[in-house]
């Protein structure tokens, strides 16, 4: 029954300080698809990504996106964020 409203991963709409401004790119890997709903949405593009096990989706951290409500089952994903900020890179 969870969902996530549209947002970006590196900024607040009001310009307030964001805790993760270094998130240049986001990556989501779907670990399962035995659920209904839970599509990744890109409202500015009027596009939805239909989950499939093993699918990887990458996009800019500044791209507005959200997740539609999971209507049944459990949605498992592996999210990651990438940066070009040397101070945030793990070596």
């Amino acid at each position: 029954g969870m969902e996530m409203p549209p947002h970006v991963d590196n900024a607040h709409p009001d310009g307030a300080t964001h805790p993760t401004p270094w998130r240049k790119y986001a990556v989501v890997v779907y670990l399962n698809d035995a659920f209904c709903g839970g599509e990744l949405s890109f409202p500015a593009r009027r596009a939805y990504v239909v989950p499939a096990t093993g699918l990887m989706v990458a996009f800019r951290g500044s791209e507005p996106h959200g997740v539609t409500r999971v209507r049944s089952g459990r949605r498992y994903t592996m999210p990651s964020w990438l940066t070009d900020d040397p101070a945030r890179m793990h070596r």
Side-chain angles (χ1 to χ4, degrees):
M2 304 229 14
E3 63 186 309
M4 188 175 290
H7 64 283
V8 299
D9 291 334
N10 59 9
H12 287 302
D14 64 1
T17 302
H18 194 276
T20 58
W22 50 266
R23 290 179 173 176
K24 182 135 184 174
Y25 298 99
V27 178
V28 178
V29 177
Y30 289 94
L31 302 178
N32 74 325
D33 55 17
F35 57 91
C36 293
E39 292 90 3
L40 181 61
S41 67
F42 294 94
R45 299 172 185 259
R46 296 185 188 151
Y48 292 86
V49 174
V50 177
T53 302
L55 176 66
M56 181 175 78
V57 181
F59 51 94
R60 293 188 180 276
S62 58
E63 175 82 21
H65 63 284
V67 178
T68 65
R69 186 174 65 83
V70 176
R71 296 186 305 276
S72 67
R74 291 184 186 254
R75 176 184 181 266
Y76 293 103
T77 63
M78 183 174 59
S80 299
W81 295 270
L82 307 172
T83 186
D84 59 1
D85 179 350
R88 293 290 180 170
M89 292 180 185
H90 299 285
R91 297 171 197 241

